[in-house]
C-alpha cells in the first residue's frame, strides 16, 4: 500500500555511506547532501519525499556527519513515523528518533514534569468524547453522536490554534469558520470541558503540546537541555503543521538553523483541524538563506494518471495553487482513467465490485486495490457489494496490525516454537522457515485456502496470511534464516510499527488515504454536494475539496476509475451532477482553460541569505527570477530558441494537451489559407506546442509565451483563448502579420 510495504522483501543494508546515495535522482541526491542550514523540500505526490529525507538522515549518520541521538524527525501519524523508522533501519541508521509531534512532546513532558511542576504528570485522556458529552450536559445540552464528534473536533481546532474559550466566538468570526453550533454555546461547552479536566487531573492530546510549549517557554534551563540533545530537525508533511505545532518546533530549534522541512501545498487537506500551508510557503521569508529543492519526478503514477492530476490543479485558485508543482511521470504509459456514470448508488457499487473482481482475476492483488470516498458513511454500500461479489476487503482506520489480537497470539506461538526448536512436535516434517511458520499458524486459524465471505473470520485469516507472506519474503532475502531470526524481525517491526501488507481491498475515506498508494484506485460518489462537500461554502473550502480529490487521484499507480451516480436509490430522481472539478477533464464536459501557476518544474535554489526585498512583503519559497532561461522540468539552462519557446529541453517529458494542439494546428491552417501566407507566419509549431502545454486562460498568460507578443495577441489572441477554453471559433482574422 505504501512505498515501504508495496514489497515486503528485505533489502541489504548499504555497505558504505556513498552506497546510501545510489539510486537517488539528482534532486533527491541534493536533498540527501544538504545536511546543514535550513532546507525546504517541495515534494509532489509520488516523487519520493520519504526516500529523499530518510536517505538524507542515513547518509549523514553513516558518513559520521550527524550523530543519531541528536536527530529528531517528526511527522503526523504513527504509521508515517513507523515507516520512517523502518526505512532508516534498512539503511543502517539506527538510534534516530522518528516520532509524531505528540509522541515526541509526550516523552519530553513525562521526563521534565517532575522538575518543572512537581509530582506526577496528570493522566492522559485517551478519548475526550465522553468528557465533552458531560460538559455539554452541564450546559443543559444533549448532543447526538454526530454532534458530539463535531463539537469535539471544534474544541481540538480551538486548542491547536491557541484559542482560549473566551476568544472562540471572535476566532470563528475572523476565520469565517462554519461552527456546528452557536459559537457562544460552543465557547461555554469548551470552558466547561476544560474545568472538568482540571477537576479530575487529566490532560488531553492537545494539552500535551500546550504544556510542553509552556515548560520550554518558562524554563530556559529545560529548553537548553532539549536543544543540547536535539540539534538536527526534520519535519515531514510540513504543509499540515498547526500554529501550536509550529510554536513547539520553534522552541525545539531555538536560534539554530539545522532544520529540514518537506511538504506539498497541493496536499493541504486538514485545514479544518488547524493545519495551514503558510509555514511551508513562507519558509524562505523566515529563512532567507534556505536551500529549496523541488521534487517533481513522479515515480508512482503513469503519465495518464499524472496528466489528470495536473489537470485538476490547473483550475485551482489561491495561494497554495500559485505554488503548485507540475508532476512529470517517470513511468511507462498505462491505461487511460475510466469515467463512469450510474443511475444510482447500488448500481455504482455493484459495478465497482465487478470491476475489482475482474482486476483480481487479471492478476492485481486485492491488497493493491482501494475504493476511496468522501465520507465514511459511503462505505456501507461498497462493503455489501464486495461481500456479495466474494471479494475480501478491509476498512482503513482499524486497529494497528501488531495490536490485533490474532497477531499478538501468533507472535506468542511463534516465540514459543522458536524456543522449543525441534522439540516442538508442530515442526515435525516442516522444512524451511515458511513451512515452520505455516505449521505454527495453522493452530491459530491459518489455512491454505481463505475462508469464504468476509467479516471477522476473514479478517483474522488475512492477518495470519500476511505473517506467512512475511516469512516467505524473509527467507528469500536471508536464506537459512531461522524461526528465532523471524521472531526478532517481528519484534523490531512491531516496535517501529512497520506492518506487512494485509491482502484485501481497502475501503477508506479520502482523508485517511493520504500517504498511501495502490495499483488500482476507484474514486466513487463524485457528485456535487459530496465533492465538493455541501458545507464547503467559501472559495478556500472549495479549493481544499479540489486538493482532496487531487490526493485521491495521485494514490493510483496504474488503474484509476472515477464514478458517480445520478440518484441515491433505485427509482430515485436523477438530480445529481458530477463534480465540477472534472469539468474539461472527463469526456463530454465543457473544457476550461488552465491557469498559469508559479510552481513549475523541479530544481534546486540554494538561497542567497538575503532578507526579502521589501519589509512586510510575503515572499514564498519560489526561486528568485533569473536572467537565464531554464528548463521547467530538469532546470538545465536553455540556449536553443525552440527550447526557450517551450521552456523545456526537447528530450524532457511534455505534458502537452495533444487534443488542444491538434485543434490549434487545424485553426492555424485555416488562418494561413485565408491570409495566403505560410503556416509559420501565423504561429510556429513550437509556439503552438508551448500554448498547448500552458493552456492560457487570460491575455496576460498568453502574451508571455515566446512567439506570441502584443501584435499577435491583438490579431489572434481572442481565437487562441477561445480554442483553449474548448470553444468553436470561425471569425475572419485581420489581414497581415509578422513572423512566428
Amino acid at each position: 500500500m505504501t512505498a515501504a510495504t508495496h514489497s515486503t522483501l528485505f533489502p541489504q543494508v548499504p555497505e558504505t555511506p556513498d552506497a546510501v546515495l545510489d539510486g537517488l535522482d539528482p534532486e533527491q541526491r541534493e536533498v540527501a547532501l544538504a545536511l546543514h542550514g535550513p532546507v525546504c523540500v517541495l515534494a509532489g505526490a509520488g516523487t519520493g519525499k520519504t526516500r529523499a529525507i530518510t536517505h538524507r538522515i542515513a547518509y549523514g549518520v553513516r558518513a559520521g556527519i550527524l550523530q543519531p541521538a541528536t536527530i529528531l524527525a517528526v511527522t503526523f501519524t504513527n504509521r508515517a513515523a513507523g515507516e520512517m523508522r523502518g526505512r532508516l533501519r534498512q539503511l543502517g541508521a539506527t538510534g534516530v528518533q522518528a516520532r509524531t509531534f505528540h509522541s515526541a512532546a509526550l516523552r519530553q513532558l513525562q521526563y521534565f514534569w517532575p522538575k518543572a511542576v512537581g509530582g506526577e504528570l496528570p493522566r492522559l485522556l485517551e478519548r475526550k468524547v465522553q468528557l465533552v458529552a458531560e460538559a455539554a450536559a452541564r450546559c443543559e445540552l444533549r448532543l447526538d453522536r454526530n454532534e458530539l464528534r463535531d463539537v469535539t473536533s471544534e474544541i481540538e481546532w480551538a486548542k491547536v490554534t491557541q484559542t482560549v474559550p473566551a476568544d472562540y466566538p471572535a476566532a470563528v468570526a475572523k476565520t469565517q469558520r462554519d461552527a456546528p453550533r452557536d459559537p457562544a454555546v460552543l465557547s461555554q461547552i469548551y470552558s466547561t470541558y476544560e474545568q472538568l479536566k482540571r477537576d479530575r487531573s487529566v490532560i488531553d492530546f492537545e494539552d500535551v503540546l500546550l504544556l510542553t510549549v509552556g515548560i520550554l517557554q518558562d524554563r530556559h534551563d529545560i529548553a537548553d537541555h532539549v536543544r543540547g540533545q536535539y540539534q538536527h530537525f526534520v519535519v515531514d508533511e510540513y504543509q499540515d503543521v498547526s500554529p501550536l505545532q509550529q510554536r513547539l518546533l520553534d522552541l525545539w530549534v531555538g536560534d539554530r538553523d539545522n532544520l529540514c522541512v518537506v511538504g506539498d501545498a497541493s496536499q493541504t487537506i486538514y485545514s479544518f483541524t488547524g493545519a495551514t500551508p503558510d509555514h511551508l510557503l513562507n519558509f524562505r521569508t523566515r529563512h532567507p538563506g534556505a536551500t529549496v529543492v523541488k521534487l517533481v519526478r513522479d515515480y508512482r503514477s503513469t503519465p495518464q494518471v499524472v496528466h489528470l492530476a495536473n489537470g485538476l490543479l490547473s483550475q485551482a485558485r489561491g495561494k497554495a495553487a500559485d505554488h503548485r508543482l507540475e508532476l512529470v511521470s517517470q513511468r511507462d504509459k498505462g491505461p487511460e482513467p475510466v469515467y463512469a456514470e450510474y443511475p444510482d448508488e447500488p448500481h455504482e457499487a455493484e459495478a465497482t465490485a465487478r470491476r475489482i473482481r475482474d482486476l483480481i482475476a487479471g492478476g492485481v492483488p486485492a491488497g493493491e486495490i482501494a475504493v476511496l470516498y468522501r465520507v465514511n458513511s459511503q462505505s456501507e454500500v461498497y462493503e455489501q457489494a464486495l461481500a456479495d461479489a466474494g471479494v475480501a476487503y478491509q476498512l482503513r482506520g482499524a486497529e494497528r496490525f501488531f495490536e490485533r489480537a490474532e497477531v499478538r497470539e501468533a507472535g506468542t506461538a511463534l516465540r514459543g516454537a522458536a524456543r522449543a526448536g525441534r522439540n516442538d512436535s508442530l515442526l515435525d516434517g516442516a522444512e524451511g522457515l515458511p513451512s515452520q511458520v505455516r505449521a505454527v499458524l495453522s493452530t491459530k486459524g491459518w489455512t491454505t485456502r481463505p475462508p469464504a465471505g468476509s467479516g471477522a473470520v476473514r479478517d483474522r485469516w488475512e492477518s495470519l496470511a500476511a505473517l506467512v507472506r512475511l516469512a516467505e519474503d524473509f527467507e528469500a532475502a536471508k536464506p537459512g534464516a531461522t524461526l528465532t531470526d523471524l521472531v526478532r524481525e517481528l519484534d523490531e517491526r512491531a516496535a517501529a510499527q512497520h506492518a506487512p501488507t494485509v491482502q484485501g481491498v481497502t475501503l477508506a475515506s479520502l482523508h485517511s488515504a493520504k500517504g498511501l498508494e495502490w495499483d488500482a484506485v476507484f474514486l466513487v460518489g463524485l457528485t456535487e454536494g459530496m465533492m465538493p462537500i455541501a458545507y464547503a461554502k467559501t472559495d478556500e473550502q472549495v479549493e481544499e475539496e479540489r486538493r482532496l480529490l487531487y490526493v485521491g487521484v495521485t494514490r493510483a499507480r496504474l488503474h484509476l476509475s472515477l464514478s458517480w451516480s445520478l440518484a441515491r436509490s433505485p427509482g430515485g430522481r436523477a438530480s445529481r451532477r458530477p463534480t465540477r472539478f472534472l469539468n474539461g477533464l472527463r469526456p463530454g464536459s465543457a473544457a476550461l482553460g488552465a491557469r498559469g501557476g508559479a510552481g513549475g518544474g523541479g530544481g534546486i535554489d540554494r538561497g542567497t541569505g538575503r532578507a526579502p526585498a521589501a519589509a512586510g512583503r510575503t515572499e514564498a519559497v519560489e526561486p528568485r527570477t533569473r536572467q537565464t532561461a531554464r528548463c521547467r522540468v530538469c532546470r538545465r539552462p536553455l540556449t536553443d530558441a525552440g527550447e526557450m519557446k517551450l521552456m523545456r529541453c526537447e528530450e524532457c517529458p511534455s505534458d502537452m494537451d495533444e487534443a488542444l494542439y491538434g485543434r490549434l494546428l487545424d485553426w492555424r491552417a485555416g488562418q494561413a489559407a485565408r491570409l495566403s501566407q505560410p503556416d509559420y507566419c501565423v504561429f510556429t509549431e513550437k509556439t503552438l506546442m508551448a500554448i498547448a502545454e500552458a493552456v492560457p486562460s487570460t491575455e496576460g498568460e498568453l502574451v508571455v509565451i515566446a512567439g506570441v507578443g502584443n501584435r499577435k495577441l491583438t490579431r489572434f489572441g481572442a481565437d487562441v483563448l477561445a480554442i483553449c477554453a474548448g470553444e468553436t471559433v470561425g471569425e475572419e482574422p485581420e489581414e497581415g502579420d509578422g513572423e512566428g
Side-chain angles (χ1 to χ4, degrees):
M1 283 158 35
T2 68
T5 60
H6 180 44
S7 170
T8 56
L9 295 177
F10 300 79
Q12 296 296 317
V13 173
E15 294 183 0
T16 66
D18 286 344
V20 173
L21 303 178
D22 290 347
L24 299 181
D25 68 30
E27 291 80 26
Q28 292 172 344
R29 188 182 182 91
E30 189 69 24
V31 173
L33 293 173
L35 295 174
H36 298 290
V39 179
C40 179
V41 183
L42 299 177
T47 57
K49 69 178 179 65
T50 306
R51 176 180 175 82
I53 59 176
T54 52
H55 280 69
R56 176 184 187 271
I57 295 170
Y59 177 74
V61 169
R62 297 287 301 278
I65 301 170
L66 305 179
Q67 297 303 310
T70 67
I71 304 169
L72 178 60
V74 290
T75 187
F76 286 81
T77 66
N78 287 309
R79 181 199 57 76
E83 178 182 336
M84 192 178 293
R85 288 191 293 269
R87 292 202 190 189
L88 289 171
R89 184 167 66 90
Q90 292 170 349
L91 292 169
T94 57
V96 175
Q97 291 293 312
R99 298 184 171 276
T100 65
F101 269 99
H102 284 87
S103 173
L106 182 59
R107 278 172 62 92
Q108 294 176 16
L109 196 59
Q110 290 170 331
Y111 183 81
F112 291 113
W113 184 269
K115 179 179 180 180
V117 181
E120 293 187 2
L121 180 70
R123 178 174 60 86
L124 182 63
L125 190 65
E126 293 289 343
R127 294 181 69 251
K128 59 172 66 72
V129 172
Q130 291 180 336
L131 208 59
V132 172
E134 185 174 340
R138 293 199 176 191
C139 296
E140 299 182 348
L141 288 171
R142 288 183 61 85
L143 305 177
D144 63 29
R145 186 172 62 179
N146 291 332
E147 290 175 319
L148 195 54
R149 181 195 61 210
D150 291 344
V151 170
T152 300
S153 296
E154 203 65 11
I155 290 174
E156 291 171 350
W157 173 83
K159 299 187 75 167
V160 301
T161 56
Q162 303 174 81
T163 303
V164 298
D167 295 340
Y168 172 77
V172 169
K174 181 178 179 181
T175 59
Q176 297 183 306
R177 189 170 177 83
D178 188 14
R181 277 188 173 250
D182 180 83
V185 174
L186 285 172
S187 174
Q188 187 181 5
I189 297 174
Y190 177 16
S191 178
T192 306
Y193 166 75
E194 292 295 311
Q195 184 60 52
L196 285 172
K197 285 198 291 116
R198 288 191 292 270
D199 293 344
R200 296 174 189 182
S201 189
V202 295
I203 58 175
D204 60 26
F205 278 102
E206 290 70 44
D207 291 328
V208 170
L209 300 183
L210 286 163
L211 291 170
T212 306
V213 165
I215 288 175
L216 295 177
Q217 284 181 161
D218 296 342
R219 293 291 299 266
H220 298 294
D221 56 330
I222 293 177
D224 289 341
H225 184 119
V226 172
R227 292 167 191 158
Q229 178 178 358
Y230 296 118
Q231 297 166 25
H232 298 271
F233 298 85
V234 178
V235 186
D236 194 11
E237 304 288 4
Y238 193 55
Q239 77 278 353
D240 289 335
V241 294
S242 69
L244 179 56
Q245 288 165 331
Q246 180 63 47
R247 181 64 187 133
L248 178 59
L249 179 63
D250 289 340
L251 289 165
W252 281 341
V253 175
D255 58 2
R256 299 162 299 172
D257 62 1
N258 284 327
L259 171 65
C260 174
V261 301
V262 190
D264 178 10
S266 296
Q267 296 188 68
T268 305
I269 59 173
Y270 292 107
S271 66
F272 62 93
T273 68
T276 171
D278 289 348
H279 305 298
L280 175 68
L281 297 177
N282 296 333
F283 192 81
R284 172 60 65 73
T285 303
R286 301 186 67 189
H287 304 278
T291 295
V292 177
V293 183
K294 291 183 181 181
L295 305 182
V296 298
R297 303 174 199 248
D298 188 322
Y299 299 95
R300 175 189 300 160
S301 305
T302 63
Q304 286 73 18
V305 173
V306 167
H307 180 73
L308 175 56
N310 286 337
L312 273 174
L313 290 189
S314 71
Q315 299 300 324
R317 299 289 189 272
K319 186 175 180 181
D322 289 340
H323 302 284
R324 63 187 174 88
L325 298 170
E326 288 279 349
L327 300 179
V328 182
S329 175
Q330 306 298 299
R331 296 191 54 174
D332 293 335
K333 289 184 177 180
E336 291 290 338
V338 174
Y339 300 86
E341 182 175 280
Y342 298 97
D344 51 63
E345 287 183 9
H347 277 91
E348 184 180 2
E350 290 163 10
T352 300
R354 286 195 301 272
R355 289 199 57 216
I356 288 172
R357 189 172 57 192
D358 292 343
L359 283 174
I360 295 172
V364 180
E368 291 298 343
I369 302 174
V371 179
L372 306 181
Y373 34 76
R374 177 60 180 84
V375 295
N376 286 317
S377 61
Q378 292 173 276
S379 75
E380 184 178 358
V381 66
Y382 291 92
E383 292 180 57
Q384 186 62 55
L386 290 171
D388 291 345
V391 176
Y393 66 87
Q394 56 176 332
L395 285 170
R396 177 76 188 157
E399 61 188 326
R400 298 183 202 169
F401 181 82
F402 287 105
E403 293 176 2
R404 298 176 187 176
E406 64 270 21
V407 174
R408 293 199 303 269
E409 293 171 11
T412 300
L414 291 170
R415 197 170 289 107
R419 284 196 300 267
R422 286 299 176 182
N423 295 323
D424 191 331
S425 60
L426 273 175
L427 303 182
D428 290 347
E431 296 298 329
L433 179 60
S435 294
Q436 293 172 359
V437 171
R438 293 187 200 102
V440 173
L441 297 188
S442 64
T443 66
K444 299 299 176 184
W446 180 83
T447 57
T448 55
R449 298 178 66 85
S454 57
V457 174
R458 180 62 182 255
D459 289 345
R460 180 183 181 88
W461 185 91
E462 291 288 357
S463 296
L464 299 177
L467 293 174
V468 171
R469 287 191 298 275
L470 188 71
E472 294 168 349
D473 289 346
F474 191 62
E475 188 190 52
K478 301 179 183 297
T482 66
L483 204 51
T484 300
D485 295 330
L486 178 64
V487 168
R488 187 180 303 114
E489 172 68 21
L490 289 174
D491 288 342
E492 291 178 358
R493 280 177 167 252
Q497 285 300 325
H498 184 193
T501 302
V502 175
Q503 288 302 324
V505 174
T506 298
L507 297 179
S509 70
L510 286 163
H511 280 100
S512 65
K514 176 76 168 64
L516 302 176
E517 59 187 71
W518 295 269
D519 283 345
V521 169
F522 291 80
L523 301 175
V524 299
L526 300 180
T527 60
E528 286 288 313
M530 194 60 75
M531 176 58 64
I533 200 75
Y535 51 76
K537 302 295 187 185
T538 67
D539 290 344
E540 180 47 42
Q541 288 169 342
V542 170
E543 287 305 314
E544 180 143 336
E545 293 289 299
R546 186 194 306 275
R547 295 194 294 268
L548 187 57
L549 182 56
Y550 171 81
V551 166
V553 166
T554 55
R555 300 311 93 194
R557 298 192 191 102
L558 181 61
H559 303 282
L560 177 62
S561 174
L562 305 97
S563 64
W564 57 92
S565 52
L566 300 178
R568 178 171 184 176
S569 305
R573 189 163 63 91
S575 58
R576 292 176 169 178
R577 293 180 293 115
T579 174
R580 71 191 77 168
F581 299 145
L582 295 180
N583 288 347
L585 300 174
R586 63 181 176 85
S589 62
L592 298 174
R595 293 182 72 239
I604 302 153
D605 178 10
R606 302 185 190 283
T608 63
R610 295 176 298 177
R617 171 184 168 190
T618 298
E619 182 178 352
V621 293
E622 299 305 325
R624 290 165 174 78
T625 303
R626 293 175 171 82
Q627 296 301 315
T628 304
R630 291 183 179 274
C631 172
R632 58 187 173 84
V633 179
C634 72
R635 304 300 294 163
R636 181 178 69 81
L638 301 175
T639 56
D640 179 79
E643 290 184 340
M644 291 176 71
K645 281 190 176 183
L646 294 177
M647 288 306 293
R648 65 170 174 81
C649 307
E650 285 281 6
E651 62 270 18
C652 280
S654 168
D655 56 358
M656 182 176 68
D657 185 328
E658 298 282 357
L660 173 58
Y661 181 57
R663 293 196 300 272
L664 288 169
L665 285 174
D666 292 343
W667 167 83
R668 184 185 70 163
Q671 298 298 312
R674 293 187 186 99
L675 294 170
S676 299
Q677 292 182 341
D679 288 356
Y680 65 81
C681 287
V682 180
F683 285 118
T684 65
E685 290 187 5
K686 282 290 194 303
T687 298
L688 293 185
M689 290 175 68
I691 293 171
E693 290 185 351
V695 196
S697 60
T698 66
E699 289 187 349
E701 292 170 1
L702 177 59
V703 75
V704 296
I705 295 175
V708 178
N710 288 323
R711 291 181 63 205
K712 292 197 175 183
L713 178 68
T714 300
R715 286 177 167 80
F716 303 121
D719 275 10
V720 171
L721 291 174
I723 293 169
C724 288
E727 300 171 10
T728 302
V729 297
E731 294 82 9
E732 292 286 331
E734 294 182 26
E735 290 295 324
D737 192 59
E739 45 195 319

